[in-house]
């Protein structure tokens, strides 16, 4: 049976990726598309590469008729979804790509995002959207909070060894790098070509908003409070993300914990011990590759995790969650191999 899909925030980078992926999905039909500044335009006007798909025009969010919609993707800036979600009828399942439903504690949301949460009761109801780690909860949820891209890259590598007791919860350092599309399509001076080209910059040191999600999920996995050091960097490439993670643990045990949990997963590969993944090997795909290397300092391990921030870090993972929520084949629309070179 065909499922009818709405995408709110369809004119942004993650919205465009959802459209590209759903175009190959055998059981989903895009029935409604909404935007803000771009409302009233045709998809081909904002995404020339998708003009041939015969998609509905972009309308204002208020104009979306949810009567026939089975599932809505909210590809919106944080602070918009939590106010909007109550206007979506209860029969519609929701995958929110923003940060609005990732934090379970309203106080943590206030601290990290500087505003009151508009639907605190739904914060608890929402499942955290990383299928390989939380598949059962996602299957039962009406609202899924797709994880942030830095957070997916880090948690896919850290949660299994923390759960297995193969890593110490103390002293975890996450050194992460993102392509520029991670900042979205809206105009920002810091993202102009001359500001990012031929440079490499750290930002958000000791205070990036994703630390709230990281603390929450790493502590849950370890069964003890975890405060990892996390430093994101901006790299002059369009897409791609890497987390180089330093932690205390035995490399063989860490590798074993990861290889065991991901052995039957279609989208996560654990490389042979000592091999190191590259962003170019997962580009435009829903894949995450993880490498484990024993550090020269005894008892320390280095993990390297890579994914495409717009696919496994956002829209691909959101589609994977949607497939699970709708009882569809989990890999539908997601099997394209990475693009190389
Ligand atoms: N980019 C990534 O790699 C990435 C990865 C993981 C998670 N995320 C998260 O996913 C969400 C979307 O990211 P993105 O990169 O796609 O952002 P984006 O390119 O800036 O797109 C934002 C979309 O939201 C619409 N919008 C903006 N303000 C709105 C409002 N007040 N009401 C209704 N619609 C509004 C925009 O419409 P107009 O363009 O027409 O104004 C646009 O379609 C964000 O919360 C982001 O943090 C992004």
């Amino acid at each position: 049976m065909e499922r009818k899909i709405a995408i709110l925030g369809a004119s942004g980078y993650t919205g465009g990726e959802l459209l590209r992926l759903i175009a190959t999905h055998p059981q989903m039909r895009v029935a409604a598309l909404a935007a803000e500044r771009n409302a009233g335009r045709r998809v081909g006007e904002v995404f020339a590469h998708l003009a041939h798909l015969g998609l509905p025009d972009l309308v204002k969010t208020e104009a979306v008729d949810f009567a026939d919609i089975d599932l809505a993707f909210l590809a919106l800036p944080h602070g918009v979804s939590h106010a909007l979600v109550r206007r979506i009828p209860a029969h519609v399942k929701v995958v929110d790509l923003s940060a609005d439903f990732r934090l379970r504690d309203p106080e943590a949301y206030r601290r990290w995002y500087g505003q009151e949460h508009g639907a605190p009761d739904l914060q608890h109801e929402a499942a955290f959207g990383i299928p390989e780690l939380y598949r059962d909860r996602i299957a039962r949820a009406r609202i899924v909070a797709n994880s942030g891209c830095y957070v997916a890259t880090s948690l896919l590598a850290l949660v299994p060894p923390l759960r297995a007791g193969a890593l110490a919860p103390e002293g975890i350092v996450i050194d992460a790098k993102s392509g520029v599309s991670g900042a979205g399509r809206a105009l920002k001076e810091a993202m102009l070509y001359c500001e990012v080209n031929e440079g490499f910059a750290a930002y958000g040191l000791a205070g990036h908003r994703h630390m709230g999600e990281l603390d929450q999920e790493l502590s849950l996995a370890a069964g003890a409070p975890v405060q990892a050091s996390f430093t994101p960097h901006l790299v002059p490439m369009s897409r791609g993300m890497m987390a180089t993670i330093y932690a205390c643990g035995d490399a063989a045990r860490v590798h074993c914990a990861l290889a065991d949990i991901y052995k039957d997963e279609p989208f996560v590969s654990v490389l042979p011990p000592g091999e190191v993944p590259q962003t170019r090997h997962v580009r435009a795909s829903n894949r995450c590759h993880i490498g484990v290397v024993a550090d020269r300092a005894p008892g320390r391990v280095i993990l390297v995790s890579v994914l495409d921030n717009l696919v496994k870090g956002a829209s691909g993972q959101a589609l994977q969650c949607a497939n699970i929520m709708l009882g569809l084949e989990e890999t539908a629309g997601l099997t394209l191999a990475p693009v190389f070179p």
Side-chain angles (χ1 to χ4, degrees), residues 78-79 99 102-103 108-115 150-151 203-215 230 232:
H78 70 261
R102 295 179 197 153
L103 295 170
Y109 187 80
R110 193 180 306 121
R111 195 165 64 248
W112 289 105
Y113 292 94
Q115 55 180 285
Y150 280 125
V151 175
Y203 64 100
L205 280 80
H208 191 279
R209 282 173 167 154
H210 283 177
M211 287 176 188
E213 287 171 59
L214 281 169
D215 288 355
F230 167 67

Side-chain angles (χ1 to χ4, degrees), residues 9 11-14 35-38 75-76 97-98 181-182 184-185 309 313:
S11 53
Y13 281 154
T14 60
E36 183 69 6
R37 289 170 306 134
N38 288 297
L76 301 164
L97 281 78
S98 86
S181 62
R185 202 182 193 190
N309 56 292

Side-chain angles (χ1 to χ4, degrees), residues 59-180:
V59 299
K60 279 275 187 193
T61 301
E62 304 78 65
V64 172
D65 179 0
F66 287 101
D68 287 340
I69 299 294
D70 295 297
L71 184 138
F73 291 102
L74 312 187
L76 301 164
H78 70 261
V80 179
S81 300
H82 72 84
L84 184 82
V85 79
R86 288 201 195 285
R87 305 212 318 256
I88 299 177
H91 75 271
V92 180
K93 293 180 188 284
V94 172
V95 181
D96 182 22
L97 281 78
S98 86
D100 280 5
F101 290 94
R102 295 179 197 153
L103 295 170
R104 274 172 221 108
D105 176 10
E107 171 49 32
Y109 187 80
R110 193 180 306 121
R111 195 165 64 248
W112 289 105
Y113 292 94
Q115 55 180 285
E116 292 296 323
H117 201 282
D121 50 321
L122 300 178
Q123 274 180 291
H124 279 280
E125 188 190 314
F128 201 82
I130 300 184
E132 291 78 6
L133 304 178
Y134 309 104
R135 186 171 279 121
D136 291 348
R137 280 213 64 197
I138 292 168
R140 295 192 303 270
R142 183 176 88 87
I143 302 175
V144 164
N146 215 43
S147 81
C149 43
Y150 280 125
V151 175
T153 318
S154 307
L155 292 185
L156 283 166
L158 282 169
V159 167
L162 276 173
R163 280 183 185 166
L167 277 183
E170 305 85 22
I172 297 172
V173 177
I174 304 170
D175 180 355
K177 302 98 188 162
S178 174
V180 183

